[in-house]
Amino acid sequence: SFDAAQVSTDLSIDAFFLLYASTLIFFMQTGFAMVCAGCVRLKNVQNTLLKNILDACGVSYGFYSLGYAFAFGTTPGNTATTFIGNRNFFLVGVDDDSFWLFQFAFCATSGTIVAGALAERCQMVAYLAYSLFLSSFVYPVVVHAIWSNNGFLSARNINPLWGSGMIDFAGSCVVHITGGATALIASKLLGPRTGRFHDLHGNLLDSPKEMPGHSLALQCLGTLILWFGWYGFNCGSIITLTINDNYKVISHTAINITLSGAAGCIMTLISSSIAAERSTGETTYYLPYALNGCLSGLVAITAGCSIVDHWASIVIGLTSGALYLVCSKLLVKWRIDDAVDAIPVHLTNGIWGTIAVGLFAVPELLSNVYNSSTHAGWFYKWGMGSADATLLACQLIGILFVTGWVLCMMLPFFWLLHYFGYLRADALEEVIGLDVAYRGGMLESNDDQDEETKKKM
Amino acid sequence: SFDAAQVSTDLSIDAFFLLYASTLIFFMQTGFAMVCAGCVRLKNVQNTLLKNILDACGVSYGFYSLGYAFAFGTTPGNTATTFIGNRNFFLVGVDDDSFWLFQFAFCATSGTIVAGALAERCQMVAYLAYSLFLSSFVYPVVVHAIWSNNGFLSARNINPLWGSGMIDFAGSCVVHITGGATALIASKLLGPRTGRFHDLHGNLLDSPKEMPGHSLALQCLGTLILWFGWYGFNCGSIITLTINDNYKVISHTAINITLSGAAGCIMTLISSSIAAERSTGETTYYLPYALNGCLSGLVAITAGCSIVDHWASIVIGLTSGALYLVCSKLLVKWRIDDAVDAIPVHLTNGIWGTIAVGLFAVPELLSNVYNSSTHAGWFYKWGMGSADATLLACQLIGILFVTGWVLCMMLPFFWLLHYFGYLRADALEEVIGLDVAYRGGMLESNDDQDEETKKKM
Amino acid sequence: SFDAAQVSTDLSIDAFFLLYASTLIFFMQTGFAMVCAGCVRLKNVQNTLLKNILDACGVSYGFYSLGYAFAFGTTPGNTATTFIGNRNFFLVGVDDDSFWLFQFAFCATSGTIVAGALAERCQMVAYLAYSLFLSSFVYPVVVHAIWSNNGFLSARNINPLWGSGMIDFAGSCVVHITGGATALIASKLLGPRTGRFHDLHGNLLDSPKEMPGHSLALQCLGTLILWFGWYGFNCGSIITLTINDNYKVISHTAINITLSGAAGCIMTLISSSIAAERSTGETTYYLPYALNGCLSGLVAITAGCSIVDHWASIVIGLTSGALYLVCSKLLVKWRIDDAVDAIPVHLTNGIWGTIAVGLFAVPELLSNVYNSSTHAGWFYKWGMGSADATLLACQLIGILFVTGWVLCMMLPFFWLLHYFGYLRADALEEVIGLDVAYRGGMLESNDDQDEETKKKM
């Protein structure tokens, strides 16, 4: 019958759409790997890349075995608010493979955020342990709370928090705060790279030693790949394309991504350039800042990409660029060493993006996406003469919950790793580069080249 | 009802298809960035990449604020021929976000073409200014004339030029001539890189100094990414997938792209190799020529990809490779310095591609795509015993209009920049590399490595 | 009518889906190019990349002119079993352009597999000749036998072999064994790189000289791009998305790809690390092994991705990683030099993947995809108390046919090239690098930098 054919057609489109989005998100692994490779010194390229590829693999198994079950494994029809799911372990009984694939790709992203922050000084085993722990338990609990219909914070809960629930469309909070907060905790416990803030005798340096990455081209490549992947990340979060007017949502979302990313980039570039001019008198432009500013804008728009107006996405992006710069400087001041600035990009702007939803969510767009516009962004409510800040309050509760939960789980976890000597790489190994134990690494290859060059001279 | 469900399904597919195409086109930014990074010397990598990323951002805002409105902002139902649109500024009142997104991605491509040609000697501020001017005014006027239903050259005008109108399916003329002509004007006014044609005292060198890029791997990566993105660029130009037999058009287009790109590559590689053998006696192959030959074929097929036969796409590709080589040599002879050969790739083959439509457009395919086959390619008309060269004439008018328009706008613009000292980078800065003022650049990072290596010895 | 609209909608989705898959597969060319570039020494980057790009072009024309016709060019309605097709040369009379495009992308992949194995010592002309021969005749015959409805091994033959036919969903056998076996034959005849196993006087070295690639970052980039492209490669092989429950198949396939690739990576990394620890006492991790292990898992799952369970994909992946390591060591022992380990990745695991289908194919999934579940994987048949190993036997026949066919075609072909002096590069040229004859290569460019740096000092 026509009806059945129509349903089957729609199912095909929806599965195809999620496959498209999932593959783009999976491609973000490439982006993260290139950003990390570009940001570390040549002597650490191999181990950094290895961590990035292990990440994708480790997370696959953490999420396959336990993660998905904890996040979404509830009995169909069960509308109770639960802390955690309890079925669908090892993909058993999963009806919708496309949804699983999509959620897996998200989980992998969350896991890989932390890799860069720990680069150049962390042991492989610590990274593997953290990867599995995050993807099988810590992250799924956050997902369950915010995205499952049974989560206590979810806007799709039958009885949402304060009649509103928290709104995080594509994961500024779920993905980026979780990853970013873990990066902060781990960086703090791990300590800075040797020679970053102190000399070899442990005396504080007058100014921190810059440790620039070995290839801006790779960092730029990675950032642009991430931007490309972001369209899958955010547009795909509508999940079912063919219902309601969701086809309008994906285009609206894609435009907001573009405007916010560009705004973050421009803001960071101009601010850092002006700041440099004031202190040195010369006009200089910093590509790494521009790239991270761009990522900051993308992170910040992630929570609200489908439910804020285009002008708001520009405001969100501009603010995110400024926040990134300030937090990046603060981290250096506090002597927390982050090789790729993952913390100011993902944690700071994850928080900002989540709050921004509470300020700028448009009633009409909320109706489209969440079937309810009772509690919209505070600015709109204000404009209507109401003081209703329920949504903003929910967003803040969400941020508190996620940061608190990550802290309670990850602080003891990394502390134990540290205590038993599995966290920090050997001091000597760190100075000569973590790649030194490997054969076939870049250094050897370069030595080889050097020898050839020498012979020619 | 079934009917409504069907319509909603089709809208979903169309929006999804444009999202897919737009993201691929956006990914071409990555391709251009890698091509440029690979083609410049190591000392200029950072500033070249910065220009590429600024481009994406600058164009976003130029097109968001004014560009789209000038290009497509006409009242629905208005069939008058106009010079420029006058509504939808700042995305206000835009109904179809997917179309906006798609057009934005196109505009970004047009803007980035010029970046490579100016590399290694242009100021940042000139680039930013040009970016905004192009995306907010110059390019939109061209788009309006050729692609809007109200454009005086458009084949979709209710009363098209000479009953035919110009046909430029995916922008050989609109995108590539606009970008390429701007590159030519700017290169000419900017002058060659120091040391390229003259020694330090200004005496003409016996033969131009080669300034090879620092990484063929990056150039190759970029070119292949561009090829990948081209499928979105050209196939997406059908805009609405679900009407007529448009699903046939996208596959036909994709095959033509492949055949023409491959033909351009092979032609350039073989010709340059034979030429080298004749002059030096040794068989040598030039990867950069092969890569640019490939891009030439892609540029040339862009105007006619959906309306020429497969055999014609091969003829177009082979010709484009030869044209590229000849023009590349001519530019050197005329001492116009183009670091990435953007002018022979985009301008020359943009022109050739636009003309080729007037020669090879197939009546049946024209009916499919443009609902009219009265005025087909000259060869087909000839075969039917007619001398009707109306389409060819329209194509030539189009080329004249676009080159003329770009000249009238861009010549004074760059001349003013030049006059006020905003165009050319400082001479000393240029010799030591534009990256020298930046911290965290590649050179410094390499110096850093060297120091560490020295210490170890 | 509704009916017609429905049909047109489905055709649009199917064409779009194949375009999506084809572009992803085409992007794998970029992946192969980057893997090869990363795995060779700096002095050979240019010619290696040139071979990769020539590949895409050469294959286009081989497949366009003859290949597709031999593979699929049978009269509609003809159900006879044939050796080869005989119409649709030069795309004449092809109804379904999307299917052509998809098959072309597959052919290009098969052709490019061999490029890496021959790197650093093969002549350009040999490569071009092989490319054309493979894509126009050798590969199409394999495709016809296994994928055409008229093939004697095809499961879709009206009267399949032993009532079952061979099952190779996305080409472990068709693509990877064909490419891998060719690589083995060519490597053997070509001989190892100078200095790999013997010193300059021809005396056997005590241990083979490692010739590490110049950039792990590029190799990693390439591998991740290949993984990304694999989703198009395998999911796209369902061809028609909108019929049956094919939308379920694509998600199932994508999950299996992910699990198997990750399993291969983890297995290889852990095994090689344990082996190294036993022999040297130190824990070391090898990124190149991890990357190739990942590719091994992807190759192995390709034949059965849509018809094995998730747990089986993990078993297949883990086994593939171990097989890769063993065969890589064996090749070195047998002194067959393979610069990128293409043989253990593609040939070994192509064979393993094809066999695995005979073991693990699930009856229900077979019904979904092949409309018949009479002959399922041996383990399942065993579980049902049957000794029916028909499918396994068909798989083995398939492997024998393809390896035998490739041997009969490629051995004389490469022997002739060798005999007439077109295979191996000039000995001196090889030592100083095949790029030496080219201008604009990487080395020269670096020398250039050095000179400038020197002048500054």
Side-chain angles (χ1 to χ4, degrees), chain B residues 260 264 268 293 296-298 300 315-325 349 352:
Chain B
S260 181
T268 320
S296 298
L298 296 171
V315 174
I316 292 172
L318 291 172
T319 313
S320 76
L323 286 173
Y324 159 73
L325 271 185
N349 283 299
W352 161 234

Side-chain angles (χ1 to χ4, degrees), chain B residues 2-3 6 9-10 13 16-18 20 24 27 40-43 208-218 220-221 223-225 227-228 231-232 235 241-245 247-248 250-255 258-266 269-270 282-288 290-291 294 310-311 313-314 318 431-432 443, chain C residues 2 5-13 15-17 19-27 29-31 33-34 37 45-47 49-54 56-58 60-61 64 90-91 94-101 104 124-125 128 214 218 221 225 228 429 435 437-442 444-446 448-449 452-453 455-456:
Chain B
F2 296 146
D3 207 10
Q6 180 67 43
T9 299
D10 283 359
I13 300 168
F16 175 20
F17 177 68
L18 277 189
Y20 160 77
L24 274 191
F27 194 44
V40 300
R41 289 164 292 176
L42 192 54
K43 62 182 181 181
K209 185 176 186 306
E210 294 292 328
M211 295 181 163
H214 85 291
S215 171
L216 284 169
L218 289 183
C220 182
L221 172 64
T223 304
L224 287 170
I225 289 177
W227 194 340
F228 175 52
Y231 292 106
C235 298
L241 178 61
T242 50
I243 55 170
N244 306 333
D245 277 353
Y247 71 92
K248 288 186 184 166
I250 58 171
S251 318
H252 184 92
T253 298
I255 295 178
T258 313
L259 292 174
S260 181
C265 176
I266 290 173
L269 186 65
I270 294 178
E282 270 185 278
T283 315
T284 48
Y285 303 95
Y286 301 83
L287 180 57
L291 296 174
C294 180
H310 299 308
W311 67 263
S313 72
I314 299 173
L318 291 172
V431 173
I432 56 174
L443 268 183
Chain C
F2 297 146
Q6 179 67 43
V7 168
S8 157
T9 299
D10 283 359
L11 287 170
S12 301
I13 300 168
F16 175 20
F17 178 67
L19 177 69
Y20 161 77
S22 304
T23 50
L24 273 192
I25 301 171
F26 184 81
F27 195 44
Q29 295 289 329
T30 316
M34 291 301 112
V45 167
Q46 179 171 201
N47 77 80
L49 286 172
L50 199 45
K51 282 168 192 156
N52 273 283
I53 202 146
L54 255 189
C57 300
S60 300
Y61 285 95
Y64 166 68
F90 294 93
L91 261 159
V94 171
D95 286 327
D96 188 348
D97 274 1
S98 356
F99 184 69
W100 191 95
L101 182 72
F104 153 73
M124 196 68 76
V125 70
L128 199 59
H214 85 290
L218 289 183
L221 171 64
I225 289 177
F228 176 51
E429 233 175 42
D435 285 0
Y438 310 148
R439 302 170 72 196
M442 271 196 151
E444 271 176 289
S445 125
N446 281 356
D448 196 43
Q449 306 283 345
E452 288 181 38
T453 316
K455 277 176 209 156
K456 273 188 274 174

Side-chain angles (χ1 to χ4, degrees), chain A residues 2 5-6 8-13 15-16 19-21 23-24 26-27 29-31 33-34 37 45-47 49-50 53-54 56-58 60-61 64 90-91 95-101 104 124-125 128 214 218 221 225 228 429 435 437-442 444-446 448-449 452-453 456-457, chain C residues 2-3 6 9-10 13 16-17 20 24 27 41-43 209-210 212-218 220-221 223-225 227-228 231-232 235 241-244 247-248 250-255 258-263 265-266 269 282-288 290-291 294 310-311 314 431 443 447 450 454:
Chain A
F2 297 146
Q6 179 66 43
S8 158
T9 299
D10 283 359
L11 287 170
S12 300
I13 300 168
F16 175 22
L19 177 69
Y20 160 76
T23 51
L24 273 192
F26 184 81
F27 194 44
Q29 294 290 328
T30 316
M34 291 302 112
V45 168
Q46 180 171 199
N47 76 79
L49 286 172
L50 200 45
I53 203 147
L54 256 189
C57 300
S60 301
Y61 285 97
Y64 166 67
F90 294 94
L91 260 158
D95 286 328
D96 188 350
D97 273 2
S98 356
F99 184 69
W100 191 94
L101 182 73
F104 153 72
M124 195 69 74
V125 70
L128 200 60
H214 84 290
L218 288 183
L221 172 64
I225 289 178
F228 176 51
E429 233 175 42
D435 286 359
Y438 309 149
R439 302 170 71 198
M442 271 196 150
E444 270 177 288
S445 125
N446 281 359
D448 197 42
Q449 306 286 343
E452 290 180 37
T453 316
K456 273 189 271 173
M457 288 178 185
Chain C
F2 297 146
D3 206 11
Q6 179 67 43
T9 299
D10 283 359
I13 300 168
F16 175 20
F17 178 67
Y20 161 77
L24 273 192
F27 195 44
R41 289 164 292 176
L42 192 54
K43 62 183 181 181
K209 184 175 186 306
E210 294 292 329
H214 85 290
S215 171
L216 285 169
L218 289 183
C220 183
L221 171 64
T223 304
L224 287 171
I225 289 177
W227 194 340
F228 176 51
Y231 292 105
C235 298
L241 178 62
T242 50
I243 55 170
N244 306 333
Y247 72 92
K248 286 186 185 167
I250 58 171
S251 317
H252 184 92
T253 297
I255 295 178
T258 313
L259 292 175
S260 182
C265 176
I266 290 174
L269 185 66
E282 272 186 277
T283 314
T284 48
Y285 303 95
Y286 300 84
L287 179 59
L291 297 174
C294 179
H310 300 308
W311 66 264
I314 299 173
V431 172
L443 268 183
D447 289 351
D450 291 351
K454 272 179 223 151

Side-chain angles (χ1 to χ4, degrees), chain A residues 153-221:
Chain A
L153 284 166
S154 170
R156 300 191 192 280
N157 193 311
I158 202 166
N159 188 10
L161 183 67
W162 299 332
S164 157
M166 180 193 177
I167 284 179
D168 184 13
F169 185 69
S172 281
C173 182
V174 173
V175 177
H176 295 282
I177 295 185
T178 304
T182 307
L184 176 61
I185 295 163
S187 294
K188 183 70 195 162
L189 277 171
L190 188 58
R193 287 169 286 180
T194 305
R196 179 86 167 101
F197 298 115
H198 302 84
D199 66 16
L200 293 177
H201 308 288
N203 301 319
L204 200 61
L205 297 170
D206 293 338
S207 66
K209 185 176 185 306
E210 294 293 327
M211 295 181 162
H214 84 290
S215 171
L216 285 170
L218 288 183
Q219 191 186 349
C220 182
L221 172 64

Side-chain angles (χ1 to χ4, degrees), chain A residues 34-41 120 193 211-215 219 339-340:
Chain A
M34 291 302 112
V35 166
C36 289
C39 284
V40 300
R41 288 163 293 175
E120 306 201 297
R193 287 169 286 180
M211 295 181 162
H214 84 290
S215 171
Q219 191 186 349
V340 301

